[in-house]
């Protein structure tokens, strides 16, 4: 009996052991929930941080400077500069017997407001050219693209123009123009011309 009594801790000890086991069982699911909860919180925090960094990186890439193809696409810039320079040389060069050719060239390279402005101005030029036997030769000295997108361009153009009248020495003048061009049907059309 003594050995049984030694093995049997008694009712108080059994009750304490039962309470400890129940407390441990109740605490065990709570202990298992914390790592899961902590893992979920870390995942949400990493996703939020990743999203914020992605948005910030996108803002850095999508600045107005990177959207301006004049700064990033040399081939497109060269093409629009060449097309516009060639067009300006053609429409601002004429002779007393060749104004019809110049007028036809304008219809091939001008559109919109630029064509309307040119038509109004060129009527006066034709009369003066015939009366004064005036010849105008225009050469683009420098053209720079200030803004270029997939379908529009803004340029600053410097011109040298030589005026020749009958029985007078030629006169040279410089001009500076702002030009807006649009890509239509694979060709650059000048849609607006302004002086600066």
């Amino acid at each position: 009996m003594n050995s049984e009594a030694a093995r049997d801790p008694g009712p108080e000890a059994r009750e304490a052991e039962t309470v400890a086991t129940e407390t441990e069982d109740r605490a065990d699911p709570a202990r298992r929930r914390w790592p899961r909860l902590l893992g979920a919180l870390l995942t949400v925090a990493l996703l939020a941080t990743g999203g914020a960094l992605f948005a910030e990186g996108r803002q850095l890439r999508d600045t107005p400077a990177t959207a301006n193809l004049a700064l990033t696409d040399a081939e497109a810039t060269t093409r629009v500069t060449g097309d516009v320079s060639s067009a300006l040389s053609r429409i601002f060069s004429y002779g007393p017997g060749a104004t019809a050719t110049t007028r036809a060239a304008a219809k091939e390279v001008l559109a919109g407001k630029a064509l309307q402005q040119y038509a109004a101005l060129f009527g006066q030029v034709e009369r003066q050219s015939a009366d004064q036997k005036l010849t105008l030769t225009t050469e683009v000295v420098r053209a720079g693209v200030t803004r270029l997108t997939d379908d529009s361009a803004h340029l600053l153009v410097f011109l040298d123009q030589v005026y020749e009248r009958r029985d007078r020495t030629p006169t040279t003048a410089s001009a500076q123009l702002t030009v807006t061009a649009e890509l239509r049907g694979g060709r650059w059309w000048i849609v607006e011309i302004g002086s600066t």
Side-chain angles (χ1 to χ4, degrees), residues 6 14 21 49-50 64 66 112 118 134 138-139 145-146 164 166 170 182:
R14 279 193 302 260
T21 304
T49 302
T66 58
Y118 187 84
L134 178 66
T138 300
E139 179 186 352
V145 181
T146 57
E164 296 179 65
R166 181 182 47 189
E182 290 181 0

Side-chain angles (χ1 to χ4, degrees), residues 26 73 84 95 112 127 175:
R26 273 186 260 135
D73 191 340
V84 168
R127 285 190 299 278

Side-chain angles (χ1 to χ4, degrees), residues 77-152:
T77 303
T78 300
R79 180 177 174 213
V80 70
T81 302
D83 288 356
V84 168
S85 296
S86 174
L88 291 173
S89 292
R90 286 174 62 197
I91 65 172
F92 290 126
S93 295
Y94 52 84
T99 54
T101 304
T102 304
R103 183 184 289 278
K107 290 179 183 176
E108 294 173 7
V109 297
L110 299 178
K113 185 177 177 182
L115 184 58
Q116 294 167 359
Q117 290 171 325
Y118 187 84
L121 178 68
F122 200 69
Q124 298 169 6
V125 168
E126 279 183 305
R127 285 190 299 278
Q128 288 177 354
S129 176
D131 293 345
Q132 300 174 6
K133 303 292 185 205
L134 178 66
T135 299
L136 175 67
T137 305
T138 300
E139 179 186 352
V140 174
V141 177
R142 189 78 138 153
V145 181
T146 57
R147 179 106 179 108
L148 177 62
T149 65
D150 290 332
D151 59 358
S152 70

